[in-house]
Amino acid sequence: MAGNGRAPSPGGAQRLQDQKARSGLPGAARFWEEAEPQAKRLRSSEAEERQGKLPKRKIVLLMAYSGKGYHGMQRNVGSSQFKTIEDDLVSALVRSGCIPENHGEDMRKMSFQRCARTDKGVSAAGQVVSLKVWMIDDILEKINSHLPSHIRILGLKRVTGGFNSKNKCDARTYFYMLPTFAFAHKDRDVQDETYRLSTETLQQVNRLLACYKGTHNFHNFTSQKGPWEPSARRYILEMYCEEPFVREGLEFAVIKVKGQSFMMHQIRKMVGLVVAIVKGYAPESVLERSWGEEKVDIPKAPGLGLVLERVHFEKYNQRFGNDGLHEPLDWAQEEGKVAAFKEQYIYPTIISTERDERSMAQWLSTLPVHDFSATALVAAGIGAKVPSPSEGREGDGDTD
């Protein structure tokens, strides 16, 4: 009878769909279109399930990279035209099977954190990032196989579950490599590649660099920082210039600086001001004045020579380094790899780029336009602008 109202059996429903598919009835195309994506989802979930059976652990990776051609370390989601180091790193992590694809899209899902957000063009020999990964076999080899040669993972260590590479970092050491003709007096030709740094000039450079040691207000050494903001005060443990050396007929020197943390452009401006003083463009008194409340015009040295050399975890090592479960984060066994990477990628890039693009020589030619006296605005008693809480975030943390 027409009123029996019974629903078709499951088998009958399947036969009905098969008949629709064969006859071209409405609904057939939709049925088959949905089947394929579902199969893909099943295959994807099965792959992740297999990976999920592997242990997932909190680790740190020791990274080295040449920053030329990159817009810094930190990934800018949605800004693919500005390629960063983390873009290549995340891609390699996904392709090697260390993390699922959705963790690459949202890095918070793997608790990703970097020690320092190196700026555009800045390199690193000892960057450290923390994250959670599947501990696959031959993990370092597989990650590196999906990275360009100028980005390498040099080491891996297990860390505590709550480890955060930025927050647990006690200090950072950078070096700045520059041709020594940058210290030649302003009356001398800035393009003179035969210049050699004298012992007296090196002593003057080191005396000035030593003035940065201790806690100072570095609001003049970054952008959008007011003189009364607590975050503008930074602690420098040491800063000095090493003995110069000659590469490809051009003499270079390396300035080392170790501090708790640095603001955006801080190190480049610290170097720039010392260069301006040694060359005779600015009086030595400008150093002391730069830490005061008034605004001082400080030149920013090129980013090419800046390199993050090492990050320090003394407090973490004291607490967990010898607990029998975790290794100290000292990377002593990786020092050979770090040195080899610097020799193969970082030093040659700095030297060849300096020769081809002459970034230091061009920057030196701009020093005469800087006014190292207080601005007319400050002299009138108006004072420097203090950013609102919504401003100035760009310079927080470690960006140089």
Side-chain angles (χ1 to χ4, degrees):
M1 294 176 61
N4 63 13
R6 287 187 300 172
S9 65
Q14 181 61 53
R15 283 194 296 274
L16 181 61
Q17 291 285 11
D18 291 344
Q19 290 170 3
K20 285 184 177 182
R22 287 192 295 269
S23 64
L25 290 173
R30 183 177 170 211
F31 172 75
W32 290 111
E33 284 170 4
E34 288 180 348
E36 187 177 359
Q38 184 179 9
K40 286 184 177 179
R41 285 196 296 271
L42 285 172
R43 287 196 296 270
S44 177
S45 63
E46 286 171 2
E48 288 195 12
E49 185 178 349
R50 287 197 299 271
Q51 290 285 68
K53 292 178 181 178
L54 294 169
K56 199 169 189 180
R57 298 288 184 261
K58 190 68 170 287
I59 63 165
V60 293
L61 298 175
L62 177 68
M63 289 185 68
Y65 52 83
S66 173
K68 183 181 179 182
Y70 288 87
H71 286 257
M73 171 71 179
Q74 188 172 6
R75 195 178 189 196
N76 301 309
V77 179
S79 300
S80 57
Q81 71 270 31
F82 299 117
K83 191 174 184 182
T84 69
I85 298 295
E86 286 177 13
D87 286 329
D88 282 350
L89 173 62
V90 170
S91 174
L93 291 171
V94 172
R95 292 169 67 192
S96 63
C98 296
I99 61 171
E101 190 169 351
N102 65 337
H103 286 203
E105 295 165 356
D106 185 356
M107 296 168 71
R108 293 172 297 181
K109 291 183 178 179
M110 58 174 164
S111 302
F112 186 93
Q113 187 57 266
R114 73 215 48 90
C115 270
R117 296 178 295 173
T118 51
D119 201 3
K120 178 182 176 181
V122 176
S123 299
Q127 172 76 278
V128 171
V129 300
S130 56
L131 67 160
K132 290 181 180 178
V133 298
W134 285 317
M135 294 299 289
I136 61 175
D137 293 335
D138 303 319
I139 182 169
L140 289 189
E141 291 80 358
K142 287 179 180 176
I143 296 173
N144 280 324
S145 70
H146 295 289
L147 285 170
S149 59
H150 56 266
I151 303 177
R152 292 288 94 179
I153 306 299
L154 303 180
L156 178 153
K157 292 181 187 288
R158 286 277 309 279
V159 288
T160 57
F163 185 87
N164 180 303
S165 60
K166 180 182 177 182
N167 295 343
K168 296 295 183 183
C169 183
D170 304 307
R172 292 122 174 120
T173 296
Y174 286 80
F175 72 78
Y176 190 91
M177 182 173 164
L178 75 170
T180 58
F181 64 70
F183 295 118
H185 194 270
K186 63 181 181 179
D187 296 335
R188 185 162 182 159
D189 182 8
V190 297
Q191 302 181 38
D192 185 2
E193 296 186 359
T194 65
Y195 177 85
R196 296 294 180 262
L197 192 64
S198 67
T199 302
E200 293 75 22
T201 303
L202 179 58
Q203 290 174 348
Q204 181 191 12
V205 170
N206 275 318
R207 179 173 55 80
L208 293 169
L209 293 174
C211 295
Y212 286 121
K213 291 171 63 175
T215 302
H216 299 287
N217 188 333
F218 285 99
H219 73 96
N220 275 309
F221 293 80
T222 188
S223 60
Q224 295 185 323
K225 284 287 181 186
W228 303 285
E229 287 192 67
S231 60
R233 295 185 66 82
R234 301 290 165 129
Y235 178 53
I236 306 300
L237 287 87
E238 60 181 5
M239 191 167 187
Y240 60 91
C241 183
E242 296 180 335
E243 290 288 333
F245 55 92
V246 176
R247 291 286 179 93
E248 299 181 17
L250 190 59
E251 188 179 66
F252 287 87
V254 169
I255 294 174
K256 293 276 184 77
V257 56
K258 180 180 180 181
Q260 282 185 335
S261 60
F262 300 93
M263 297 177 290
M264 178 174 283
H265 302 149
Q266 181 183 338
I267 297 174
R268 291 164 63 185
K269 286 189 171 241
M270 291 166 74
V271 171
L273 185 55
V274 168
V275 169
I277 294 172
V278 174
K279 292 189 75 67
Y281 287 110
E284 288 190 21
S285 60
V286 75
L287 253 178
E288 192 75 26
R289 190 157 50 83
S290 69
W291 300 320
E293 293 182 0
E294 65 183 13
K295 182 69 175 174
V296 177
D297 180 19
I298 297 179
K300 179 177 65 181
L304 173 66
L306 186 60
V307 179
L308 174 62
E309 183 171 51
R310 186 184 299 255
V311 290
H312 307 267
F313 300 96
E314 281 88 356
K315 291 179 182 177
Y316 174 86
N317 289 341
Q318 289 172 5
R319 183 172 180 184
F320 298 105
N322 298 305
D323 65 357
L325 297 173
H326 305 93
E327 300 175 84
L329 302 181
D330 57 12
W331 309 109
Q333 295 181 352
E334 288 77 15
E335 285 183 0
K337 294 180 183 178
V338 171
F341 186 89
K342 287 192 289 188
E343 288 291 340
Q344 187 173 1
Y345 292 101
I346 295 180
Y347 296 154
T349 297
I350 294 174
I351 294 168
S352 62
T353 305
E354 180 59 45
R355 281 203 165 280
D356 296 341
E357 301 177 9
R358 305 184 67 257
S359 59
M360 179 56 69
Q362 290 182 24
W363 173 76
L364 291 172
S365 67
T366 68
L367 286 180
V369 304
H370 286 270
D371 180 8
F372 296 96
S373 61
T375 64
L377 195 64
V378 175
I382 298 175
K385 177 198 172 199
V386 181
S388 67
S390 63
E391 295 178 320
R393 298 303 96 194
E394 183 185 25
D396 285 356
D398 305 278
T399 54
D400 245 333

